[in-house]
């Protein structure tokens, strides 16, 4: 029996009205997402979760999902692109434009809207406010689509996604959408996630490549 998923070029035998035919595994099912990498930290404070050499011409669209909890409260989750190749990777620290729109609720059931953003910033913030730090209980959860960070087809990279978290100073729970773009050509080969000042205490982030049609 197979102990792992079949490769796209592996073949199945099928019966087509009594005629035996071979078909590539890539044509069976509808899984168009390829796991490219996962990083995890479990109650071990680290400065960032960094994926190097993960973006390439093999994919133009990526899906990134995960969660992260800071080592201390009041820090916003953010990311930066990484450039270069193995042994010479560097962090891109300019030309990020980002916006967040969401809703909030407090402990008295009071609600409201929340809008914030930056132009030509050093990082791409995903949450507007800081995130509550409460051991492993409070964290930021997100799901993001990233277009062409390696700039294979276009000269800018865009992203959009959903996010939820709790703010420590207000006690409010936030949920919303975020998006952004670079104002220059990132030509990114990787990406790094961090909180704006403190470490990541808990977290798991996975990057998927979206197959070409």
């Amino acid at each position: 029996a197979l102990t792992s998923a079949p490769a796209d070029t592996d073949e199945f035998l099928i019966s087509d009205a009594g005629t035996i035919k071979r078909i590539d595994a890539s044509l069976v099912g509808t899984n168009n997402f390829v796991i490219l990498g996962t990083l995890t930290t479990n109650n071990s404070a680290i400065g960032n979760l960094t994926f190097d050499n993960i973006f390439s011409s093999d994919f133009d669209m990526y899906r990134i999902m995960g969660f992260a909890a800071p080592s201390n409260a009041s820090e916003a989750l953010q990311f930066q692109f990484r450039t270069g190749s193995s042994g010479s990777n560097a962090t891109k620290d300019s030309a990020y434009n980002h916006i967040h729109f969401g809703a909030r609720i407090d402990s008295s059931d009071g609600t409201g809207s929340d809008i914030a953003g930056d132009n030509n910033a050093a990082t791409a913030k995903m949450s507007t406010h800081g995130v509550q730090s409460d051991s492993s209980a409070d964290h930021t959860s997100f799901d993001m689509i990233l277009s062409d960070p390696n700039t294979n087809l276009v000269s800018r990279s865009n992203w959009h996604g959903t996010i939820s978290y709790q703010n420590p100073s207000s006690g409010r729970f936030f949920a919303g959408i975020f998006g952004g773009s670079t104002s220059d050509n990132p030509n990114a080969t990787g990406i790094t996630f961090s909180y704006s000042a403190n470490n990541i205490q808990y977290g798991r982030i996975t990057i998927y490549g979206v197959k070409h049609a």
Side-chain angles (χ1 to χ4, degrees):
L2 289 175
T3 57
S4 60
D8 286 350
T9 53
D10 287 348
E11 295 179 329
F12 293 99
L13 293 177
I14 64 170
S15 175
D16 182 7
T19 301
I20 301 300
K21 296 181 178 180
R22 297 186 303 177
I23 183 172
D24 283 350
S26 62
L27 301 176
V28 178
T30 58
N31 184 13
N32 293 319
F33 294 91
V34 179
I35 296 179
L36 303 178
T38 298
L39 291 176
T40 303
T41 182
N42 183 9
N43 199 22
S44 177
I46 58 175
N48 53 69
L49 290 172
T50 296
F51 298 83
D52 277 333
N53 311 308
I54 202 163
F55 302 140
S56 70
S57 59
D58 292 340
F59 302 96
D60 303 316
M61 297 290 294
Y62 298 85
R63 186 174 186 179
I64 308 175
M65 62 178 68
F67 64 90
S71 57
N72 291 287
S74 297
E75 304 300 334
L77 185 64
Q78 61 192 12
F79 73 84
Q80 294 170 297
F81 287 129
R82 299 271 290 171
T83 60
S85 56
S86 298
S88 60
N89 300 96
T91 299
K92 175 178 170 55
D93 59 359
S94 64
Y96 297 97
N97 309 307
H98 59 87
I99 185 73
H100 176 279
F101 177 81
R104 65 179 186 263
I105 187 169
D106 60 31
S107 58
S108 300
D109 292 335
T111 60
S113 60
D114 189 66
I115 304 174
D118 283 300
N119 184 265
N120 198 30
T123 65
K125 286 188 177 180
M126 302 163 68
S127 57
T128 306
H129 305 285
V131 178
Q132 173 81 2
S133 177
D134 180 17
S135 183
S136 59
D138 291 313
H139 59 275
T140 309
S141 177
F142 71 92
D143 187 357
M144 176 172 72
I145 297 294
L146 177 62
S147 66
D148 207 7
N150 200 230
T151 52
N152 301 310
L153 300 177
V154 293
S155 59
R156 302 291 185 268
S157 179
N158 288 9
W159 57 88
H160 65 275
T162 56
I163 194 165
S164 62
Y165 60 96
Q166 183 161 336
N167 178 254
S169 59
S170 67
R172 294 167 174 167
F173 182 80
F174 290 84
I177 57 176
F178 66 94
S181 67
T182 56
S183 55
D184 62 9
N185 185 334
N187 196 26
T189 54
I191 191 169
T192 183
F193 295 86
S194 64
Y195 281 100
S196 46
N198 291 303
N199 293 324
I200 298 175
Q201 191 75 28
Y202 298 86
R204 177 177 290 115
I205 297 175
T206 300
I207 297 182
Y208 300 83
V210 183
K211 290 182 181 179
H212 295 157

